[in-house]
Amino acid sequence: MTGPGKRRSTPTKGDRREQAILDAAEALLEYESVELMTVETIAKGAGISRASLYFYFGSKHEVLAALVARTVAVLREDALGAAGDTVSSPEETVREAVRRTAKQWREHGLVMRAAVDFSAAVPEIAELWQGTVASYAEAMARVMVRGGVPDEKGPEGAAALARGLCWMTERTFYWASARPRDLRAATETCAQIWLRVLASAERD
């Protein structure tokens, strides 16, 4: 029995069932669009009945929102871990942050593209996605300040530049993630744009 204030050290049967449902939904994205996906096909992929799935999720969109939440949690932890590096130079930190972000798009691009596509229709997904980009931008703004970009309000300040660059990176990876070769090129292009902004700040 789990005592007061203690957390379970191992997943419960319910936890494992929820993860199986999310795994099934992510696997289905390889073969069909979210529009064609149904609660029944997700349940079948997870090896459970439709009624059993409804015990954990109330709709297909709830499954998708949970899948996006799981994916962006990894993205946030991975990318922000790189952005929080204060030992490496700002240039090295930028390269590593872009590389880690590209890794998540390569491994979970189907989910991340679905998050972008359904943000307008599902407010919970929009909040998750926009919040992740905002957190990433805040962390990268601190990196840019270390690199000499002014820590000030306005279009030339670190916060505004980081925000614009993060959304540029998101859109570039959105289109490139469907093709590995394009994603590799897009990763280097995005890194170069970030680095040129830093280099410009150093020259001023």
Side-chain angles (χ1 to χ4, degrees):
M1 220 175 144
T2 304
K6 294 184 179 179
R7 300 181 67 180
R8 298 179 185 274
S9 58
T10 57
T12 65
K13 182 179 179 181
D15 293 334
R16 292 192 297 272
R17 181 66 58 81
E18 285 189 13
Q19 292 307 310
I21 293 169
L22 299 184
D23 289 343
E26 184 164 8
L28 277 173
L29 288 173
E30 291 275 359
Y31 308 104
E32 61 186 28
S33 66
V34 175
E35 291 88 346
L36 296 177
M37 189 185 298
T38 66
V39 167
E40 186 171 351
T41 58
I42 297 171
K44 183 178 180 180
I48 60 175
S49 67
R50 179 174 176 172
S52 295
L53 186 146
Y54 279 125
F55 182 79
Y56 299 96
F57 299 101
S59 67
K60 176 182 72 175
H61 282 162
E62 282 191 18
V63 175
L64 182 60
L67 179 57
V68 170
R70 182 176 74 171
T71 303
V72 299
V74 177
L75 172 65
R76 188 181 304 217
E77 181 179 353
D78 211 16
L80 298 189
D85 178 7
T86 57
V87 177
S88 302
S89 70
E91 291 78 11
E92 291 171 335
T93 302
V94 162
R95 282 194 174 277
E96 180 63 11
V98 173
R99 186 193 67 78
R100 291 193 188 189
T101 303
K103 175 177 179 289
Q104 293 304 321
W105 277 96
R106 183 169 57 253
E107 295 178 355
H108 302 287
L110 291 169
V111 177
M112 294 163 77
R113 287 198 299 277
V116 174
D117 293 340
F118 279 82
S119 286
V122 186
E124 184 179 354
I125 292 177
E127 184 177 352
L128 285 166
W129 190 250
Q130 292 169 13
T132 299
V133 176
S135 296
Y136 186 76
E138 288 174 10
M140 293 305 291
R142 293 192 291 272
V143 176
M144 298 185 80
V145 170
R146 286 202 295 119
V149 178
D151 186 10
E152 60 186 35
K153 294 182 179 179
E156 296 183 0
L161 289 172
R163 206 162 38 242
L165 287 169
C166 282
W167 283 112
M168 173 215 63
T169 302
E170 182 253 26
R171 187 53 35 176
T172 300
F173 282 156
Y174 172 87
W175 290 109
S177 60
R179 295 170 293 277
R181 180 179 298 177
D182 289 354
L183 185 58
R184 286 193 295 272
T187 302
E188 184 58 29
T189 298
C190 288
Q192 285 299 320
I193 294 172
W194 281 90
L195 292 171
R196 290 185 185 190
V197 172
L198 285 177
S200 177
E202 291 173 354
R203 290 195 301 269
D204 292 342

